[in-house]
Amino acid sequence: LTGGVAHDFNNLLTVILGSSETLVESLGGDEELRGLAEMTMTAAERGAALTSQLLAFSRRQTLEPRVVEVGAVLGGLASMLGRTLGAHIALHLSSAPELWPALIDQSQLENAVLNLCINARDAMPAGGSLVIASSNLEVAGGGPADGELSPGRYVVIEVVDSGTGMAPEVLGRAFEPFFTTKEVGQGSGLGLSMVYGFMKQSGGHVELASTPGRGTTVRMVLKAAAGAAAPAPARPAREAGGAERVLLVEDDAMVRTHVAAMLRGLGYTVTLANNAAEGLARLEAGEPFELLLSDVVMPGAMNGLQLAVRARQMRPAIGLLLTSGYTENAIQQHGSLEPGM
Protein backbone atom coordinates (compact mmCIF):
# COMPACT_ATOMS: atom_id res chain seq x y z
CA LEU A 1 0.00 0.00 0.00
CA THR A 2 2.76 2.43 0.97
CA GLY A 3 4.76 1.79 -2.20
CA GLY A 4 1.67 2.23 -4.36
CA VAL A 5 0.74 5.52 -2.72
CA ALA A 6 4.29 6.80 -3.16
CA HIS A 7 4.18 5.84 -6.84
CA ASP A 8 0.97 7.78 -7.47
CA PHE A 9 2.32 10.81 -5.63
CA ASN A 10 5.55 10.67 -7.64
CA ASN A 11 3.60 10.85 -10.90
CA LEU A 12 1.73 13.93 -9.67
CA LEU A 13 4.88 15.54 -8.27
CA THR A 14 6.69 15.05 -11.57
CA VAL A 15 4.20 17.41 -13.19
CA ILE A 16 3.93 19.86 -10.26
CA LEU A 17 7.65 20.14 -9.57
CA GLY A 18 8.69 20.23 -13.23
CA SER A 19 6.10 22.85 -14.16
CA SER A 20 7.02 24.98 -11.14
CA GLU A 21 10.69 24.83 -12.11
CA THR A 22 9.83 25.98 -15.64
CA LEU A 23 7.77 28.87 -14.26
CA VAL A 24 10.56 29.97 -11.92
CA GLU A 25 12.99 30.11 -14.86
CA SER A 26 10.58 32.01 -17.11
CA LEU A 27 9.27 34.57 -14.57
CA GLY A 28 12.56 36.26 -13.82
CA GLY A 29 11.10 39.73 -14.40
CA ASP A 30 8.02 39.33 -12.22
CA GLU A 31 9.08 39.04 -8.58
CA GLU A 32 5.57 38.42 -7.23
CA LEU A 33 4.69 35.60 -9.62
CA ARG A 34 8.20 34.14 -9.39
CA GLY A 35 7.81 34.03 -5.61
CA LEU A 36 4.56 32.08 -5.94
CA ALA A 37 6.21 29.63 -8.35
CA GLU A 38 9.16 29.18 -5.98
CA MET A 39 6.77 28.52 -3.09
CA THR A 40 4.97 25.89 -5.17
CA MET A 41 8.30 24.29 -6.08
CA THR A 42 9.40 24.22 -2.42
CA ALA A 43 6.14 22.53 -1.40
CA ALA A 44 6.54 19.97 -4.18
CA GLU A 45 10.12 19.26 -3.07
CA ARG A 46 8.84 18.59 0.45
CA GLY A 47 6.29 16.21 -1.03
CA ALA A 48 9.04 14.47 -2.98
CA ALA A 49 11.07 14.06 0.21
CA LEU A 50 8.03 12.53 1.92
CA THR A 51 7.48 10.00 -0.88
CA SER A 52 11.17 9.10 -0.66
CA GLN A 53 10.66 8.32 3.04
CA LEU A 54 7.57 6.26 2.22
CA LEU A 55 9.53 4.22 -0.33
CA ALA A 56 12.33 3.69 2.19
CA PHE A 57 9.85 2.45 4.78
CA SER A 58 8.23 0.07 2.28
CA ARG A 59 11.73 -1.13 1.20
CA ARG A 60 10.98 -0.30 -2.44
CA GLN A 61 13.36 2.58 -3.05
CA THR A 62 16.00 2.17 -5.74
CA LEU A 63 19.37 1.68 -4.05
CA GLU A 64 22.83 2.11 -5.55
CA PRO A 65 25.08 0.15 -3.17
CA ARG A 66 28.81 0.55 -3.57
CA VAL A 67 31.90 0.06 -1.45
CA VAL A 68 32.00 2.95 1.04
CA GLU A 69 34.54 3.99 3.68
CA VAL A 70 32.18 4.64 6.58
CA GLY A 71 34.68 6.67 8.61
CA ALA A 72 35.24 9.04 5.70
CA VAL A 73 31.49 9.45 5.17
CA LEU A 74 30.88 10.28 8.83
CA GLY A 75 33.83 12.65 8.87
CA GLY A 76 32.46 14.41 5.80
CA LEU A 77 29.13 14.92 7.57
CA ALA A 78 30.72 16.41 10.69
CA SER A 79 30.69 20.07 9.64
CA MET A 80 27.08 19.93 8.44
CA LEU A 81 26.02 18.09 11.60
CA GLY A 82 27.72 20.73 13.73
CA ARG A 83 25.60 23.44 12.11
CA THR A 84 22.44 21.31 12.32
CA LEU A 85 22.84 20.39 15.98
CA GLY A 86 23.73 23.85 17.27
CA ALA A 87 26.36 25.08 19.70
CA HIS A 88 24.51 23.69 22.74
CA ILE A 89 25.21 20.08 21.68
CA ALA A 90 28.73 18.63 21.74
CA LEU A 91 29.42 16.28 18.82
CA HIS A 92 32.02 13.50 19.16
CA LEU A 93 33.10 11.15 16.35
CA SER A 94 34.82 7.87 17.12
CA SER A 95 36.02 5.27 14.62
CA ALA A 96 37.66 1.91 15.25
CA PRO A 97 41.14 1.42 13.72
CA GLU A 98 41.17 -0.43 10.39
CA LEU A 99 37.42 -0.06 9.98
CA TRP A 100 36.11 -2.32 7.22
CA PRO A 101 34.45 -0.71 4.19
CA ALA A 102 30.68 -1.24 3.90
CA LEU A 103 28.51 -2.15 0.93
CA ILE A 104 25.81 0.51 1.12
CA ASP A 105 24.05 3.33 -0.76
CA GLN A 106 26.10 6.29 0.43
CA SER A 107 23.48 9.02 -0.05
CA GLN A 108 20.82 6.99 1.80
CA LEU A 109 23.30 6.25 4.58
CA GLU A 110 24.01 9.96 4.96
CA ASN A 111 20.25 10.64 5.10
CA ALA A 112 19.80 7.96 7.77
CA VAL A 113 22.59 9.37 9.97
CA LEU A 114 21.21 12.89 9.54
CA ASN A 115 17.72 11.71 10.53
CA LEU A 116 19.07 10.06 13.68
CA CYS A 117 21.07 13.16 14.61
CA ILE A 118 18.04 15.43 14.17
CA ASN A 119 16.02 13.11 16.42
CA ALA A 120 18.82 13.27 18.98
CA ARG A 121 18.94 17.08 18.79
CA ASP A 122 15.20 17.31 19.40
CA ALA A 123 15.60 15.07 22.47
CA MET A 124 18.18 17.49 23.94
CA PRO A 125 16.47 20.92 23.94
CA ALA A 126 18.65 22.11 26.84
CA GLY A 127 21.85 20.74 25.31
CA GLY A 128 23.91 17.63 25.78
CA SER A 129 26.30 15.36 23.92
CA LEU A 130 26.00 13.27 20.78
CA VAL A 131 28.45 10.48 20.01
CA ILE A 132 28.68 8.80 16.58
CA ALA A 133 30.87 5.72 16.85
CA SER A 134 31.76 3.15 14.18
CA SER A 135 33.26 -0.29 14.67
CA ASN A 136 33.65 -3.73 13.10
CA LEU A 137 31.44 -6.71 13.91
CA GLU A 138 31.91 -10.33 12.87
CA VAL A 139 28.87 -12.58 13.27
CA ALA A 140 29.68 -16.27 13.49
CA GLY A 141 26.08 -17.35 13.89
CA GLY A 142 22.92 -15.58 14.90
CA GLY A 143 23.54 -11.98 15.88
CA PRO A 144 21.72 -8.95 17.23
CA ALA A 145 17.99 -9.14 17.87
CA ASP A 146 17.85 -12.93 18.12
CA GLY A 147 19.52 -13.84 14.87
CA GLU A 148 18.43 -10.95 12.63
CA LEU A 149 21.84 -11.06 10.90
CA SER A 150 23.35 -13.79 8.77
CA PRO A 151 26.90 -14.89 9.59
CA GLY A 152 29.48 -12.56 8.11
CA ARG A 153 31.26 -9.24 8.53
CA TYR A 154 29.45 -6.02 9.37
CA VAL A 155 30.21 -2.38 10.12
CA VAL A 156 28.33 -0.88 13.09
CA ILE A 157 27.38 2.79 13.45
CA GLU A 158 26.09 3.84 16.87
CA VAL A 159 24.39 7.20 17.45
CA VAL A 160 24.27 7.88 21.18
CA ASP A 161 22.64 10.94 22.76
CA SER A 162 22.25 12.14 26.33
CA GLY A 163 18.67 13.30 25.84
CA THR A 164 15.31 12.67 27.42
CA GLY A 165 15.13 9.02 26.35
CA MET A 166 11.98 7.02 25.69
CA ALA A 167 9.53 5.23 27.94
CA PRO A 168 9.09 1.49 27.20
CA GLU A 169 5.70 2.02 25.54
CA VAL A 170 7.20 4.63 23.21
CA LEU A 171 10.31 2.55 22.52
CA GLY A 172 8.14 -0.39 21.43
CA ARG A 173 6.47 1.72 18.74
CA ALA A 174 9.43 3.86 17.62
CA PHE A 175 9.83 2.15 14.23
CA GLU A 176 6.13 2.32 13.38
CA PRO A 177 5.34 4.62 10.43
CA PHE A 178 3.66 7.92 11.36
CA PHE A 179 4.12 7.28 15.09
CA THR A 180 5.62 10.38 16.71
CA THR A 181 5.67 12.02 20.12
CA LYS A 182 6.21 15.45 18.60
CA GLU A 183 3.48 18.05 18.31
CA VAL A 184 1.33 18.25 15.20
CA GLY A 185 3.34 19.75 12.36
CA GLN A 186 6.68 19.05 14.05
CA GLY A 187 7.39 15.65 12.53
CA SER A 188 6.01 13.05 10.12
CA GLY A 189 6.89 10.01 12.22
CA LEU A 190 8.79 8.54 9.26
CA GLY A 191 12.40 9.19 10.30
CA LEU A 192 13.06 5.97 12.22
CA SER A 193 10.74 4.00 9.93
CA MET A 194 12.83 5.12 6.96
CA VAL A 195 16.07 4.09 8.69
CA TYR A 196 14.59 0.69 9.54
CA GLY A 197 13.37 0.04 5.99
CA PHE A 198 16.68 1.18 4.49
CA MET A 199 18.74 -1.06 6.77
CA LYS A 200 16.56 -4.11 6.07
CA GLN A 201 16.59 -3.51 2.31
CA SER A 202 20.39 -3.23 2.46
CA GLY A 203 20.82 -6.58 4.23
CA GLY A 204 21.61 -5.03 7.60
CA HIS A 205 19.79 -4.36 10.83
CA VAL A 206 18.97 -1.56 13.26
CA GLU A 207 18.47 -1.71 17.04
CA LEU A 208 17.17 0.85 19.49
CA ALA A 209 17.87 1.14 23.24
CA SER A 210 16.67 3.95 25.47
CA THR A 211 16.16 4.85 29.12
CA PRO A 212 13.99 7.78 30.25
CA GLY A 213 16.21 10.62 31.39
CA ARG A 214 19.41 8.89 30.30
CA GLY A 215 19.38 9.07 26.51
CA THR A 216 18.99 6.86 23.46
CA THR A 217 21.30 4.65 21.43
CA VAL A 218 20.54 3.69 17.82
CA ARG A 219 22.72 0.93 16.40
CA MET A 220 22.87 0.49 12.60
CA VAL A 221 24.56 -2.66 11.31
CA LEU A 222 25.79 -2.48 7.69
CA LYS A 223 27.09 -5.28 5.49
CA ALA A 224 30.86 -5.11 5.15
CA ALA A 225 32.52 -5.32 1.75
CA ALA A 226 35.97 -6.31 0.63
CA GLY A 227 38.17 -3.81 -1.15
CA ALA A 228 38.76 -0.08 -1.12
CA ALA A 229 36.01 2.48 -1.44
CA ALA A 230 34.99 3.43 -4.95
CA PRO A 231 35.06 7.15 -5.79
CA ALA A 232 31.73 8.92 -5.57
CA PRO A 233 30.22 9.49 -9.02
CA ALA A 234 30.63 13.05 -10.22
CA ARG A 235 27.47 15.09 -10.61
CA PRO A 236 26.93 15.83 -14.31
CA ALA A 237 26.78 19.44 -15.35
CA ARG A 238 23.38 20.70 -16.47
CA GLU A 239 23.16 20.45 -20.25
CA ALA A 240 21.65 23.09 -22.50
CA GLY A 241 19.74 20.57 -24.64
CA GLY A 242 20.22 19.25 -28.16
CA ALA A 243 18.58 18.28 -31.43
CA GLU A 244 18.45 14.49 -31.04
CA ARG A 245 15.28 12.45 -31.63
CA VAL A 246 13.63 10.92 -28.54
CA LEU A 247 10.99 8.20 -28.36
CA LEU A 248 9.01 8.90 -25.18
CA VAL A 249 6.94 5.97 -23.84
CA GLU A 250 4.68 6.83 -20.87
CA ASP A 251 1.15 5.70 -20.00
CA ASP A 252 0.28 8.60 -17.65
CA ALA A 253 -1.13 11.37 -19.87
CA MET A 254 -0.11 14.29 -17.64
CA VAL A 255 3.43 13.01 -17.14
CA ARG A 256 3.75 12.27 -20.86
CA THR A 257 2.60 15.76 -21.87
CA HIS A 258 4.81 17.46 -19.30
CA VAL A 259 7.99 15.54 -20.13
CA ALA A 260 7.44 16.03 -23.86
CA ALA A 261 7.09 19.79 -23.36
CA MET A 262 10.28 19.90 -21.27
CA LEU A 263 12.25 17.97 -23.90
CA ARG A 264 10.91 20.03 -26.79
CA GLY A 265 11.76 23.19 -24.88
CA LEU A 266 15.37 21.97 -24.83
CA GLY A 267 15.34 21.50 -28.61
CA TYR A 268 14.77 17.75 -28.88
CA THR A 269 12.41 16.14 -31.40
CA VAL A 270 9.96 14.00 -29.44
CA THR A 271 7.72 11.14 -30.61
CA LEU A 272 5.09 9.89 -28.14
CA ALA A 273 3.84 6.39 -27.36
CA ASN A 274 1.20 5.52 -24.76
CA ASN A 275 2.62 2.10 -23.86
CA ALA A 276 5.41 -0.36 -24.62
CA ALA A 277 3.53 -1.99 -27.52
CA GLU A 278 3.15 1.38 -29.26
CA GLY A 279 6.80 2.16 -28.61
CA LEU A 280 7.87 -1.16 -30.11
CA ALA A 281 5.72 -0.50 -33.17
CA ARG A 282 7.48 2.85 -33.66
CA LEU A 283 10.85 1.14 -33.49
CA GLU A 284 9.81 -1.64 -35.86
CA ALA A 285 8.53 0.95 -38.34
CA GLY A 286 12.10 2.14 -38.73
CA GLU A 287 11.66 5.63 -37.35
CA PRO A 288 15.06 7.07 -36.35
CA PHE A 289 15.70 7.68 -32.65
CA GLU A 290 18.85 8.41 -30.67
CA LEU A 291 17.18 7.80 -27.29
CA LEU A 292 14.41 5.66 -25.85
CA LEU A 293 12.98 7.33 -22.72
CA SER A 294 10.46 4.97 -21.16
CA ASP A 295 8.40 4.45 -18.06
CA VAL A 296 8.93 1.02 -16.54
CA VAL A 297 5.58 -0.11 -15.13
CA MET A 298 2.87 0.19 -17.78
CA PRO A 299 -0.32 -1.69 -18.66
CA GLY A 300 -0.06 -4.48 -21.20
CA ALA A 301 2.06 -7.54 -21.74
CA MET A 302 5.36 -5.62 -22.01
CA ASN A 303 6.99 -3.29 -19.50
CA GLY A 304 9.60 -0.62 -20.09
CA LEU A 305 12.55 -2.83 -19.22
CA GLN A 306 11.44 -5.47 -21.73
CA LEU A 307 10.96 -2.73 -24.32
CA ALA A 308 14.48 -1.45 -23.66
CA VAL A 309 15.92 -4.95 -24.17
CA ARG A 310 14.08 -5.28 -27.51
CA ALA A 311 15.18 -1.81 -28.57
CA ARG A 312 18.83 -2.59 -27.86
CA GLN A 313 18.55 -5.85 -29.85
CA MET A 314 17.10 -3.98 -32.82
CA ARG A 315 19.34 -0.92 -32.52
CA PRO A 316 22.55 -1.53 -30.57
CA ALA A 317 23.53 2.15 -30.63
CA ILE A 318 20.31 3.56 -29.19
CA GLY A 319 20.49 5.29 -25.82
CA LEU A 320 18.25 3.93 -23.06
CA LEU A 321 16.80 5.89 -20.14
CA LEU A 322 14.24 4.26 -17.83
CA THR A 323 12.17 6.15 -15.28
CA SER A 324 9.59 5.14 -12.70
CA GLY A 325 7.61 6.48 -9.78
CA TYR A 326 8.33 3.21 -7.97
CA THR A 327 10.23 0.00 -8.46
CA GLU A 328 8.85 -3.47 -9.15
CA ASN A 329 10.41 -6.88 -8.59
CA ALA A 330 10.62 -7.17 -12.38
CA ILE A 331 13.34 -4.50 -12.46
CA GLN A 332 14.76 -4.54 -8.94
CA GLN A 333 16.06 -7.62 -7.18
CA HIS A 334 17.60 -7.78 -3.73
CA GLY A 335 17.24 -4.04 -3.31
CA SER A 336 19.28 -2.84 -6.30
CA LEU A 337 19.17 -2.64 -10.08
CA GLU A 338 21.41 -4.80 -12.24
CA PRO A 339 24.89 -3.29 -12.92
CA GLY A 340 24.76 -0.76 -15.72
CA MET A 341 21.02 -0.12 -15.44
Side-chain angles (χ1 to χ4, degrees):
L1 174 64
T2 305
V5 169
H7 164 256
D8 288 344
F9 267 93
N10 271 341
N11 272 351
L12 296 172
L13 287 167
T14 295
V15 179
I16 297 171
L17 185 55
S19 298
S20 301
E21 190 176 44
T22 301
L23 287 172
V24 168
E25 292 175 353
S26 61
L27 292 171
D30 192 322
E31 290 299 323
E32 183 177 357
L33 289 179
R34 180 185 173 92
L36 290 173
E38 288 176 341
M39 184 169 60
T40 304
M41 187 165 67
T42 299
E45 287 171 343
R46 290 178 63 184
L50 180 61
T51 58
S52 177
Q53 290 179 313
L54 289 169
L55 285 169
F57 162 69
S58 63
R59 307 182 204 176
R60 294 179 67 176
Q61 63 185 334
T62 302
L63 298 179
E64 297 180 15
R66 67 184 188 91
V67 180
V68 170
E69 293 289 354
V70 173
V73 170
L74 297 178
L77 287 173
S79 60
M80 181 180 68
L81 288 175
R83 294 191 299 271
T84 302
L85 296 172
H88 64 302
I89 295 176
L91 175 65
H92 306 278
L93 294 181
S94 171
S95 180
E98 299 183 5
L99 190 67
W100 297 326
L103 183 64
I104 200 76
D105 184 307
Q106 180 173 334
S107 64
Q108 294 297 333
L109 176 62
E110 291 170 344
N111 286 339
V113 172
L114 182 59
N115 263 287
L116 296 179
C117 290
I118 290 173
N119 281 352
R121 177 200 65 188
D122 294 344
M124 297 183 287
S129 66
L130 179 65
V131 177
I132 304 177
S134 50
S135 60
N136 296 325
L137 171 67
E138 188 155 8
V139 178
D146 299 322
E148 288 281 355
L149 294 175
S150 302
R153 288 186 167 190
Y154 297 88
V155 179
V156 178
I157 300 175
E158 288 187 316
V159 180
V160 185
D161 68 63
S162 61
T164 55
M166 297 182 225
E169 59 272 18
V170 174
L171 184 64
R173 301 186 61 190
F175 290 127
E176 289 182 16
F178 305 115
F179 175 77
T180 179
T181 57
K182 298 177 183 177
E183 296 180 4
V184 175
Q186 298 300 309
S188 65
L190 281 169
L192 285 175
S193 302
M194 183 195 72
V195 173
Y196 184 88
F198 167 54
M199 284 292 101
K200 289 299 185 181
Q201 188 179 354
S202 302
H205 185 56
V206 60
E207 297 174 296
L208 191 60
S210 186
T211 302
R214 300 187 63 181
T216 299
T217 297
V218 183
R219 190 170 187 253
M220 293 189 295
V221 186
L222 325 176
K223 289 179 67 175
R235 291 186 178 272
R238 184 167 183 172
E239 297 294 340
E244 288 86 358
R245 293 155 297 190
V246 179
L247 173 59
L248 172 61
V249 185
E250 167 62 60
D251 66 294
D252 187 291
M254 285 198 302
V255 174
R256 186 172 61 247
T257 301
H258 168 68
V259 174
M262 295 280 283
L263 291 170
R264 287 169 178 153
L266 290 168
Y268 298 104
T269 300
V270 183
T271 299
L272 303 180
N274 296 332
N275 52 52
E278 286 189 20
L280 182 61
R282 293 281 191 179
L283 292 167
E284 290 175 338
E287 297 183 44
F289 300 108
E290 279 76 38
L291 175 70
L292 167 65
L293 170 55
S294 176
D295 189 10
V296 175
V297 182
M298 293 179 285
M302 180 182 295
N303 63 36
L305 179 60
Q306 293 166 329
L307 174 62
V309 171
R310 293 287 298 276
R312 181 56 58 82
Q313 291 171 346
M314 298 167 61
R315 305 184 187 188
I318 194 170
L320 302 175
L321 179 59
L322 302 179
T323 179
S324 180
Y326 70 120
T327 52
E328 290 283 280
N329 290 335
I331 61 166
Q332 180 175 322
Q333 297 178 353
H334 310 297
S336 61
L337 294 174
E338 292 298 316
M341 285 292 182

